[in-house]
Amino acid sequence: MAEPAIDARGLVAGYGETVVLEDVSLALAQGESVSLIGRNGVGKSTLLATLMGQTSLHRGTIRSGGRAIEGLATHRRARTGLGYVPQEREVFPSLTVVENLEVAARAAPGAPRRWNAAAVFELFPQLAERRAHRGNHLSGGEQQMLAIGRALMGNPQVLLMDEPTEGLAPVIVAQLTAALRRLRDAERLAILLVEQNTRVALGFSPRVVVMNRGRIVYDGPGEALAADRTRLDALIGVGGG
């Protein structure tokens, strides 16, 4: 039986002595997509940051592909097969699109080198047209495509994505979700998607996890949650996107 792509157990974590996550456990199978939703400030982004080693972990374990990684620095976790797309995108403003991609090029030990600049441009043709432009000359949607492409250049087995559609026009949201579906279905990447747009989240992943006050309060089929509007509103608030 294959090891989970991510297996986090009993996480108590936050920033310094401030605890945000309270006994959070979450496993993601190889090739599985999971949408993580909840109100603002409940710990969704903190969970992704904790998986990447960017918070203070007070208790708990994290395994990636069967390997314990909770003691590893962020860059070493990336080398185990984790790709991270932060909410702020964090593209290098003075580098061109190509340079932003090439600086992130690597493969996890033993993993195939699937992703290069050409493959990213095939996934996002709009980036190919902008390949010589610097990061600070791109639109918000183009920066988001570049952030995803940069994560793919590490040839990950898992993508951790924090609010990829935030603030983007509907046409760009449609382009991004189509690309994510391809990564899920054709590339078989495991994807943990933090998404404030409930419609996007429920439509993307068969399994949905809801957080509230630093804890997981629902972990199950997205279809069942979508059909129970009363419960959905109680968990995330009315008008969740």
Side-chain angles (χ1 to χ4, degrees):
M1 185 174 180
E3 294 279 359
I6 286 285
D7 189 2
R9 300 188 183 186
L11 300 183
V12 177
Y15 304 94
E17 296 303 313
T18 302
V19 171
V20 178
L21 302 182
E22 297 273 8
D23 194 27
V24 170
S25 296
L26 178 66
L28 191 68
Q30 298 284 348
E32 182 183 19
S33 65
V34 174
S35 291
L36 179 60
I37 63 176
R39 296 181 177 93
N40 289 329
V42 299
K44 306 183 303 295
S45 295
T46 300
L47 176 54
L48 295 195
T50 298
L51 295 177
M52 288 304 302
Q54 297 181 347
T55 66
S56 299
L57 180 63
H58 300 287
R59 189 166 65 249
T61 61
I62 306 171
R63 301 181 70 84
S64 173
R67 177 183 177 184
I69 64 170
E70 65 269 11
L72 298 182
T74 296
H75 69 281
R76 295 192 180 277
R77 297 189 194 203
R79 292 173 185 170
T80 70
L82 299 186
Y84 181 41
V85 184
Q87 186 176 9
E88 297 80 9
R89 300 164 188 157
E90 297 180 2
V91 302
F92 296 108
S94 63
L95 299 184
T96 67
V97 167
V98 171
E99 290 167 340
N100 264 280
L101 295 175
E102 291 298 337
V103 77
R106 65 179 57 86
R113 181 72 183 273
R114 160 69 178 89
W115 289 96
N116 53 31
V120 171
F121 290 151
E122 196 274 328
L123 180 67
F124 294 120
Q126 193 168 334
L127 282 186
E129 299 172 3
R130 307 279 280 172
R131 68 179 70 204
H133 289 253
R134 300 190 186 280
N136 58 358
H137 292 165
L138 302 179
S139 69
E142 290 164 346
Q143 288 186 359
Q144 188 62 69
M145 294 173 189
L146 181 55
I148 295 171
R150 185 180 57 188
L152 292 172
M153 291 291 287
N155 286 272
Q157 302 301 307
V158 184
L159 270 183
L160 308 176
M161 308 193 65
D162 196 355
E163 303 276 11
T165 71
E166 183 181 27
L168 300 181
V171 65
I172 302 299
V173 171
Q175 291 175 12
L176 288 175
T177 53
L180 294 183
R181 289 191 184 97
R182 173 178 163 181
L183 295 176
R184 178 194 65 192
D185 298 336
E187 305 295 338
R188 298 295 298 161
L189 284 182
I191 299 175
L192 180 56
L193 174 69
V194 169
E195 183 52 67
Q196 200 66 27
N197 187 321
T198 307
R199 184 176 63 257
V200 170
L202 294 175
F204 179 71
S205 302
R207 177 184 165 203
V208 171
V209 172
V210 183
M211 291 189 68
N212 188 34
R213 297 183 180 180
R215 296 179 179 271
I216 291 176
V217 294
Y218 178 88
D219 185 344
E223 185 176 358
L225 189 59
D228 189 347
R229 187 68 196 189
T230 300
R231 186 178 188 188
L232 179 63
D233 289 346
L235 288 172
I236 68 169
V238 177

